[in-house]
Amino acid sequence: MTSIAEIAARVEALRAELRYHNERYYSLDEPEIPDADYDELFRELKALEEAHPELRDAASPTAHVSGMPTTSFGSVRHAKPMQSLDNALDDEELVAWVGRCEKGLPDESLTYAYEPKVDGLAMSLTYVNGVLTQGATRGDGTTGEDVTANILTIASIPQMLDPRAGVPPQVVEIRGEVYMASADFEALNSRQAAAGEKTFVNPRNAAAGSLRQKDPRITATRPLKFLAYQLGSSEGVEPESSWSPATQSGVLRLLSTAGFDVSSEAGVASSVDEVVAACAWFEEHRHTLPYEVDGAVVKIDDLRLHGVLGSTSRAPRWAIAKKFPPEEKQTLLMNIEISVGRTGRVTPFAVLEPVFVGGTTVQMATLHNEDHVATRDVRPGDLVIVRKAGDVIPEVVGPAAGQVNRPGRAAPWTFPTSCPSCSTALVRIPGENVTQCPNWDCVAQTVQRISYFASRVAMDIEGLGEQRVAQLISAEILTDVADLYDLTETQLLGIEGMGPVSASNLLQAIEASRSQSMHRVLVGLGINEVGPANARVIIRAFPTLKQLAESATEQLAALDGIGPKTAERVVSFMRQDRNLVLIQRLIDHQVGVEEASSALPQTLLGKAVVVTGSVEGFTRQEAEAAVIARGGTSPGSVSKKTFCVVAGESPGASKLTKAETLGLPILPASAFVGLLETGELPG
Ligand code: IVH
């Protein structure tokens, strides 16, 4: 039998893994595993937490919506949280959901609204007296990014609500999906490729990238569309008026009249069989729809019943997403090649005869590592099965039927012994399924390292893509990221394709990057597992590169969300002479600015302080921000991990009761300032 300690360890491992994949998906736009695999991990965790309530944790990825507000847009707090949806992976789970709805609403005869699950980005649009005033992304569900300027460039978003829908309420929020139609996506990618610009892996990424442009003039050139599916918060809605529809299907009719695109495939089902059939229809027609869909959404039609069923902290009980399995196709494996990443890791990949799968044309697919190729036994010349799900890098599943005993089949593929870029002998790391090019000066690695530093997740230096970096390296004016800050106009003018304008733009972009916040510099150093979320936590505790270079593994590992492996990686990076020199040069060039919050002493580092009721001199948000600025967290609920509860005027009774039950310290509002200053409990 599995012991509780083993289960607890598995729960922690799953949480860490899900956080890692959340970061890859939401912050880096670089998912590593198919949605279906992610869902599997998520469900395993959820099942374990349900079976072992003592292991539950409000900070678990199952307890909240994933995704973080990133970068430089202003933030918007959603009046009503933007939730996620629970998934049904097969018909059985869909039927079980219908069963739960019926059980929860035994006196109702239920009808269900079904819609496509368009694969784009959730968007909240606010109309004040019928005029569009704000567009915000979902972000973490509570707070999103203000993308109003970009939203105003999308033609299918009405700037005024059509009065034929009735007199608009004072304030109404419309929610839906910003997406790129499949045909528009293909055309955009051809245009980008012809102009030597970055192409996108799929329509969702293209939509996300276009919406996050800092210059709305660029967004305006991107073929974005909006499909409306929900009413969000509102003020001044007259009951029984046209703006107060009773059903989800009524919402779609209203939104259509008000000037929005709504799905023309949406409909209503009145039995479980009809629900299953509707979802099957979407799956069958997924590639003839004008947009990418990754599933179908089914909602209880009667809006009144939504309130009765309610929500979990993450998703409503009145809706479900029926996900489609990842699509698989057959094609010819022309060759197996290897590529070298920024850490020197060497990855085999398949060169394929182009095949249309999962909404895009695939010509290359990852083969992950040496063992993957061996265990799948795929060989050049084989017909192989290629799988692609949503956002994910396409993958070779294995040889198609009949390949294994095919006469004339090639010999098993063997991993090359030397680096394709610098010819250094490759090294297989003992005990790990990783092959490495050990030569730090390898040009392929250097190109990857520097272009990662310049990329959007890190220093965001426009005009410094992989090709440009490779050119500067071969011109011998660039060997590491610190060299960027020594580049001169004369040097750049010697580069093919660079005129005075592009040279001066590039120098300006590099100069501007010196005032990026310090956590981005840390991300840019490219240490494994140090993405934006981890980097923020680390920089909050060690605000400068100098302090970070002097940090110890135990100090880093004590930070919220930083595991011992990550801490070790950071420290071993910081201890290498070469990196110390690099860091000193970055310091000399004054690269990176300290983050505002880090100016304050970190008195509450790693401590969770719950504030309930009003504290004199602070709004609720300010009180929470004051805790966070001192390194703490300010969760909305009390748990055994809470450091203390600050009870202001009219505190929440349930929070106090919970704190008392758990024996937690409860501080009066008058002790709040002292707590911020000292981080200690009074008396
Ligand atoms: S309803 C609380 N309807 O799916 C219900 N969502 O996994 C929230 N999505 O964030 C959304 N098509 O971005 C709804 N017809 C549809 C949808 C849809 C796509 C997305 C949306 C949401 C995500 C949840």
Side-chain angles (χ1 to χ4, degrees):
M1 230 183 76
T2 321
S3 74
I4 186 74
E6 282 166 319
I7 295 170
R10 178 71 190 144
V11 164
E12 268 320 308
L14 286 167
R15 285 178 184 154
E17 206 170 337
L18 287 166
R19 282 190 194 111
Y20 171 79
H21 291 300
N22 282 341
E23 169 137 344
R24 298 219 51 105
Y25 185 95
Y26 290 104
S27 300
L28 305 178
D29 275 344
E30 274 174 22
E32 219 171 67
I33 56 169
D35 285 5
D37 293 2
Y38 177 93
D39 289 342
E40 210 171 290
L41 295 170
F42 191 91
R43 285 151 164 270
E44 184 187 344
L45 176 57
K46 220 168 151 186
L48 287 174
E49 287 173 341
E50 265 156 29
H52 300 276
E54 71 278 16
L55 297 178
R56 281 189 200 168
D57 183 341
S60 174
T62 54
H64 52 88
V65 175
S66 304
M68 261 173 293
T70 37
T71 65
S72 42
F73 294 96
S75 60
V76 171
R77 213 174 159 89
H78 301 300
K80 265 192 196 168
M82 291 183 81
Q83 291 180 303
S84 191
L85 289 170
D86 281 335
N87 294 329
L89 297 188
D90 53 31
D91 286 348
E92 209 179 308
E93 292 184 358
L94 182 61
V95 171
W97 172 77
V98 171
R100 287 200 296 281
C101 292
E102 285 172 349
K103 200 164 155 227
L105 301 162
D107 302 329
E108 305 287 339
S109 96
L110 296 176
T111 53
Y112 300 89
Y114 56 80
E115 298 155 17
K117 188 168 186 311
V118 182
D119 202 8
L121 293 100
M123 179 60 50
S124 147
L125 303 173
T126 305
Y127 289 81
V128 176
N129 296 321
V131 178
L132 177 61
T133 56
Q134 186 177 69
T137 63
R138 177 169 80 160
D140 64 3
T142 312
T143 310
E145 288 172 321
D146 184 339
V147 289
T148 312
N150 290 346
I151 280 304
L152 288 169
T153 70
I154 301 178
S156 63
I157 294 184
Q159 307 213 356
M160 280 181 71
L161 299 173
D162 191 322
R164 277 175 290 189
V167 179
Q170 264 162 324
V171 180
V172 65
E173 182 198 357
I174 314 289
R175 293 180 178 177
E177 203 81 355
V178 169
Y179 70 97
M180 203 175 276
S182 311
D184 291 337
F185 162 74
E186 297 289 345
L188 171 68
N189 257 359
S190 314
R191 269 203 330 260
Q192 294 279 108
E197 301 271 352
K198 171 189 155 112
T199 56
F200 299 97
V201 283
N202 59 35
R204 184 187 180 279
N205 270 46
S210 304
L211 200 63
R212 288 208 194 109
Q213 289 293 329
K214 281 174 220 149
D215 183 349
R217 285 171 301 186
I218 300 182
T219 312
T221 68
R222 302 285 173 79
L224 293 174
K225 292 197 165 118
F226 179 76
L227 198 75
Y229 53 65
Q230 208 182 11
L231 286 174
S233 63
S234 59
E235 283 168 36
V237 173
E238 301 289 334
E240 316 277 318
S241 74
S242 61
W243 278 94
S244 163
T247 59
Q248 170 63 15
S249 44
V251 168
L252 295 190
R253 279 192 298 274
L254 167 73
L255 292 175
S256 171
T257 314
F260 294 92
D261 287 348
V262 296
S263 166
S264 45
E265 294 82 19
V268 178
S270 45
S271 69
V272 63
D273 291 346
E274 282 178 28
V275 167
V276 171
C279 292
W281 185 91
F282 279 110
E283 184 168 344
E284 204 177 304
H285 293 84
R286 59 191 293 190
H287 295 308
T288 48
L289 295 174
Y291 34 69
E292 279 267 298
V293 284
D294 59 345
V297 183
V298 185
K299 303 168 183 172
I300 289 187
D301 199 31
D302 186 338
L303 299 183
R304 187 180 48 90
L305 302 177
H306 293 189
V308 181
L309 281 186
S311 300
T312 67
S313 58
R314 190 182 159 273
R317 293 195 186 85
W318 44 263
I320 191 98
K322 168 72 173 56
K323 290 279 220 150
F324 300 149
E327 212 196 351
E328 297 187 344
K329 282 271 182 71
Q330 259 185 39
T331 189
L332 178 68
L333 174 60
M334 300 199 290
N335 203 2
I336 299 179
E337 294 179 11
I338 56 175
S339 70
V340 187
R342 66 169 199 273
T343 56
R345 187 183 178 135
V346 180
T347 311
F349 65 93
V351 182
L352 301 166
E353 197 162 85
V355 58
F356 191 77
V357 56
T360 48
T361 303
V362 170
Q363 319 196 35
M364 280 190 293
T366 181
L367 286 164
H368 300 290
N369 52 52
E370 183 171 10
D371 292 356
H372 186 88
V373 184
T375 51
R376 303 293 158 115
D377 189 23
V378 286
R379 309 182 188 180
D382 281 354
L383 276 179
V384 292
I385 295 168
V386 177
R387 171 161 65 198
K388 177 146 185 303
D391 257 347
V392 139
I393 307 164
E395 192 188 22
V396 173
V397 182
Q403 297 300 297
V404 173
N405 297 317
R406 177 171 60 88
R409 193 178 189 219
W413 180 76
T414 50
F415 211 95
T417 51
S418 60
C419 172
S421 169
C422 68
S423 307
T424 306
L426 298 177
V427 180
R428 168 106 190 218
I429 312 234
E432 279 184 57
N433 195 358
V434 173
T435 309
Q436 198 87 22
C437 165
N439 173 20
W440 174 266
D441 297 315
C442 169
V443 170
Q445 276 183 55
T446 313
V447 170
Q448 295 298 325
R449 267 198 308 270
I450 300 178
S451 48
Y452 183 72
F453 182 81
S455 72
R456 187 167 62 77
V457 285
M459 302 300 276
D460 203 7
I461 304 177
E462 230 164 293
L464 198 61
E466 255 174 57
Q467 281 173 3
R468 185 64 82 204
V469 169
Q471 271 184 316
L472 301 182
I473 291 174
S474 67
E476 297 181 0
I477 54 175
L478 189 61
T479 56
D480 63 28
V481 298
D483 286 346
L484 289 171
Y485 300 94
D486 289 323
L487 289 175
T488 65
E489 187 159 0
T490 324
Q491 285 176 323
L492 289 181
L493 288 175
I495 300 294
E496 200 194 318
M498 274 230 138
V501 177
S502 49
S504 131
N505 284 348
L506 181 56
L507 287 176
Q508 266 177 33
I510 293 172
E511 176 59 22
S513 76
R514 293 201 303 121
S515 33
Q516 287 288 16
S517 52
M518 205 50 99
H519 84 268
R520 285 174 169 267
V521 182
L522 174 57
V523 172
L525 293 177
I527 306 170
N528 254 340
E529 288 177 24
V530 183
N534 282 346
R536 275 200 189 93
V537 175
I538 294 174
I539 288 296
R540 212 180 286 152
F542 299 96
T544 64
L545 289 177
K546 183 163 183 296
Q547 283 164 292
L548 185 57
E550 287 160 4
S551 66
T553 316
E554 308 75 57
Q555 287 175 307
L556 289 167
L559 300 174
D560 204 15
I562 307 290
K565 220 165 91 190
T566 311
E568 180 55 45
R569 289 211 155 109
V570 175
V571 170
S572 87
F573 181 95
M574 295 291 163
R575 295 286 181 273
Q576 291 182 33
D577 290 344
R578 177 184 61 221
N579 294 334
L580 283 172
V581 173
L582 179 75
I583 285 168
Q584 189 53 51
R585 288 176 59 215
L586 290 174
I587 294 174
D588 293 344
H589 280 293
Q590 298 175 354
V591 178
V593 290
E594 279 190 44
E595 300 179 18
S597 64
S598 60
L600 291 166
Q602 300 294 288
T603 47
L604 291 170
L605 196 62
K607 292 177 181 167
V609 176
V610 174
V611 182
T612 173
S614 57
V615 177
E616 208 190 322
F618 294 85
T619 65
R620 165 60 59 80
Q621 267 124 325
E622 282 165 355
E624 288 174 3
V627 172
I628 293 166
R630 286 161 181 82
T633 57
S634 190
S637 63
V638 175
S639 78
K640 58 178 190 293
K641 289 195 177 161
T642 306
F643 174 63
C644 67
V645 176
V646 176
E649 209 170 308
S650 352
S654 65
K655 285 185 189 146
L656 289 187
T657 320
K658 179 114 188 251
E660 274 163 17
T661 323
L662 292 170
L664 299 171
I666 301 174
L667 273 56
S670 57
F672 185 57
V673 172
L675 174 72
L676 293 175
E677 277 168 7
T678 63
E680 312 268 332
L681 299 171

